[in-house]
Amino acid sequence: MASPPDTSKTAKLERCNNYLRRVNSAKIISASSRLLFRASILATVALILLFTLHYPPLLLLSHYSAAAAARSSHRSLLSSDLTYGGAAWEREVRSSATPRRPSGLTVLVTGAAGFVGTHCSLALKKRGDGVVGLDNFNSYYDPSLKRARQSLLSRHGVLVVDGDINDTPLLIKLLDVVPFSHVLHLAAQAGVRYAMRNPQSYVTSNVAGLVSLLEVAAKHADPQPAIVWASSSSVYGLNTATPFSELHRTDRPASLYAATKKAGEAIAHTYNHIYGLSITGLRFFTVYGPWGRPDMAYFSFTNYILWGKPITLFRMQDGTAVRRDFTYIDDVVKGCLGALDTAERSTGSGGKKRGPAQLRVYNLGNTSPVPVAKMVGILEELLGKKAKKHVVTLPQNGDVPYTHANVSMAERDLGYRATTDLATGLKKFVRWYVGYYDRKSKKEAEGVASA
């Protein structure tokens, strides 16, 4: 009879084998873990190196993309890529600049397709002066309105060159082709509230653009022209003394727009002092009338009332009404022409001052502040329709509670006098507004029908 198997030896052997398998498995797992860890470290290092190598180009790409977008936006707002020059172009410029009356002025009007620029150009041409306009037709408001003004000027023999005041070669070319006796500088980025959305456009146009113009006039023009330019009543800012006088402080602007106009007055002083440029600044007070700016309250209110949209009226913290010294466009034009007619010659040549030169600043206002609500009431009567009013407290957006002009200096020196009351001026504006947009609607309808 066979003896039974030695189970104790078998069990020991099995335990030994199991132990060896566990040991080997642990070694394999440990080795695998070490290998995986090392692979992870290497991968991480590789990724860090890759990121380090490629991050700067990516950053630069992002920077350049943002810069390109900014340039594109700036270009659409403030510049023109159109070419200029050539014999035909020069003949056209000279023809437009030739006065038709003895001793007539030869005036370069910047911002000629703008509201005030159009009216001043027409008035100058009508009395026999030579006029050449310059405008970049930016998209701050509907460019089609500016093109319509350009067409109006063209019908009266005024050429408006499509170009920007920051285009120094263009300015040099214009002042080389025509020895302008005067420059009426009205080109600017307008509007108080828009500065909160696009501040750079104000610096580019109102500061850099003014410097560009004065540089060319001082150093390249022969003879140097006399400069009349548009400042603004906004420079009075937080001034509380009324009516606003040219002798009042203007060092507390309430908006970036106002600050750029105040900077412009300081810049004008510098170029007058160093280069002998004759410079006159005009502080406009809420100009309104036909062919006006759509961003102005009277213009947008007219549109909203006709379309039945609500309008926003501001009041002060204490409940008092916001008031404006509304000044009709024809009165402002008289002031601009008066400034041109009384401007003395510049005293510099080739960038060198030969003697003291004239430096002036004047208010051009109506001297009769009117509550904005009263202006709305006049529009309601003229349009035969009630406005849907939304009254709110004036926010901190750069608007000031009131404007009121003291024009005694302009009366004395320029023969300036405002003669148009608000009701009369708004009646003329509404008549133009209805006629212009009725014609525009008919043309658009005809265009759709023929398409």
Side-chain angles (χ1 to χ4, degrees):
M1 185 175 198
S3 59
D6 189 349
T7 56
S8 62
K9 293 180 177 180
T10 303
K12 288 179 181 179
L13 182 60
E14 183 63 29
R15 285 197 298 275
C16 183
N17 289 335
N18 289 336
Y19 173 75
L20 290 174
R21 282 195 295 270
R22 287 196 300 273
V23 169
N24 290 334
S25 177
K27 288 180 178 179
I28 293 171
I29 292 172
S30 177
S32 299
S33 298
R34 286 196 298 273
L35 183 62
L36 181 61
F37 176 74
R38 289 172 183 170
S40 299
I41 292 295
L42 289 173
T44 301
V45 170
L47 287 172
I48 291 173
L49 288 173
L50 184 65
F51 184 79
T52 303
L53 289 171
H54 287 279
Y55 181 74
L58 290 173
L59 178 62
L60 289 173
L61 178 61
S62 173
H63 170 75
Y64 288 138
S65 296
R71 285 194 301 270
S72 176
S73 174
H74 171 69
R75 187 160 50 247
S76 67
L77 183 66
L78 290 167
S79 68
S80 168
D81 294 327
L82 297 181
T83 58
Y84 50 84
W89 181 84
E90 291 184 12
R91 283 195 300 271
E92 196 173 3
V93 170
R94 289 193 183 98
S95 175
S96 185
T98 302
R100 300 192 316 273
R101 67 183 176 99
S103 303
L105 308 182
T106 303
V107 188
L108 173 64
V109 180
T110 70
F115 173 33
V116 179
T118 294
H119 283 275
C120 285
S121 297
L122 288 172
L124 288 166
K125 199 70 175 182
K126 182 177 180 180
R127 73 177 195 176
D129 294 317
V131 183
V132 174
L134 177 66
D135 205 290
N136 64 9
F137 299 92
N138 68 52
S139 56
Y140 169 61
Y141 60 82
D142 185 8
S144 70
L145 178 57
K146 300 176 185 180
R147 293 296 180 185
R149 297 188 191 123
Q150 182 187 30
S151 297
L152 174 65
L153 290 171
S154 179
R155 292 194 297 272
H156 287 81
V158 177
L159 170 67
V160 180
V161 176
D162 196 331
D164 192 272
I165 54 173
N166 284 292
D167 187 344
T168 298
L170 172 58
L171 291 178
I172 293 174
K173 183 68 175 178
L174 282 169
L175 271 67
D176 179 57
V177 171
V178 176
F180 290 101
S181 60
H182 297 73
V183 174
L184 180 57
H185 178 48
L186 303 173
Q189 176 57 61
V192 169
R193 300 172 203 169
Y194 183 64
M196 299 179 72
R197 301 200 306 272
N198 191 359
Q200 190 60 45
S201 66
Y202 289 78
V203 177
T204 301
S205 184
N206 301 357
V207 179
L210 177 61
V211 170
S212 176
L213 175 69
L214 296 181
E215 274 284 301
V216 173
K219 299 177 181 179
H220 297 278
D222 186 20
Q224 290 180 343
I227 310 292
V228 175
W229 74 287
S231 184
S232 170
S233 63
S234 67
V235 299
Y236 291 109
L238 303 179
N239 172 58
T240 56
T242 56
F244 297 164
S245 165
E246 294 88 343
L247 302 178
H248 288 166
R249 63 186 299 183
T250 56
D251 59 349
R252 295 184 296 169
S255 67
L256 178 62
Y257 169 69
T260 60
K261 287 298 186 178
K262 174 59 179 176
E265 293 188 357
I267 290 167
H269 177 275
T270 301
Y271 276 83
N272 168 267
H273 172 68
I274 296 176
Y275 300 109
L277 282 178
S278 170
I279 304 178
T280 302
L282 302 175
R283 294 172 178 170
F284 296 160
F285 281 72
T286 316
V287 188
Y288 73 100
W291 294 100
R293 281 180 19 222
D295 63 314
M296 297 290 286
Y298 73 95
F299 199 118
S300 61
F301 285 176
T302 299
N303 186 36
Y304 286 1
I305 291 172
L306 287 173
W307 285 94
K309 296 180 180 180
I311 64 174
T312 300
L313 292 176
F314 294 125
R315 65 186 173 200
M316 302 307 299
Q317 294 281 351
D318 60 3
T320 57
V322 171
R323 293 174 293 138
R324 291 288 179 267
D325 198 346
F326 294 101
T327 313
Y328 189 63
I329 182 62
D330 288 358
D331 294 326
V332 169
V333 169
K334 292 174 186 175
C336 290
L337 270 58
L340 289 168
D341 291 339
T342 58
E344 297 176 359
R345 291 183 178 181
S346 294
T347 62
S349 177
K352 295 182 179 180
K353 181 179 179 180
R354 306 297 183 188
Q358 187 182 54
L359 180 67
R360 309 178 295 174
V361 63
Y362 296 105
N363 290 336
L364 295 185
N366 194 50
T367 74
S368 302
V370 174
V372 176
K374 181 178 179 180
M375 179 264 286
V376 173
I378 296 172
L379 287 176
E380 289 175 324
E381 184 176 347
L382 291 169
L383 298 170
K385 192 172 183 180
K386 284 291 184 180
K388 297 177 181 179
K389 304 182 185 81
H390 179 51
V391 182
V392 300
T393 301
L394 185 70
Q396 295 296 318
N397 60 6
D399 280 322
V400 293
Y402 55 82
T403 58
H404 184 184
N406 178 336
V407 297
S408 58
M409 288 178 62
E411 288 177 346
R412 181 193 68 202
D413 297 346
L414 310 181
Y416 173 79
R417 185 184 175 195
T419 59
T420 310
D421 64 86
L422 184 59
T424 301
L426 286 177
K427 183 177 181 179
K428 293 180 180 180
F429 164 73
V430 168
R431 186 184 303 123
W432 167 83
Y433 180 97
V434 172
Y436 174 77
Y437 284 101
D438 183 55
R439 290 191 299 273
K440 185 177 181 182
S441 297
K442 288 180 180 178
K443 286 183 180 179
E444 290 174 350
E446 290 170 359
V448 172
S450 62

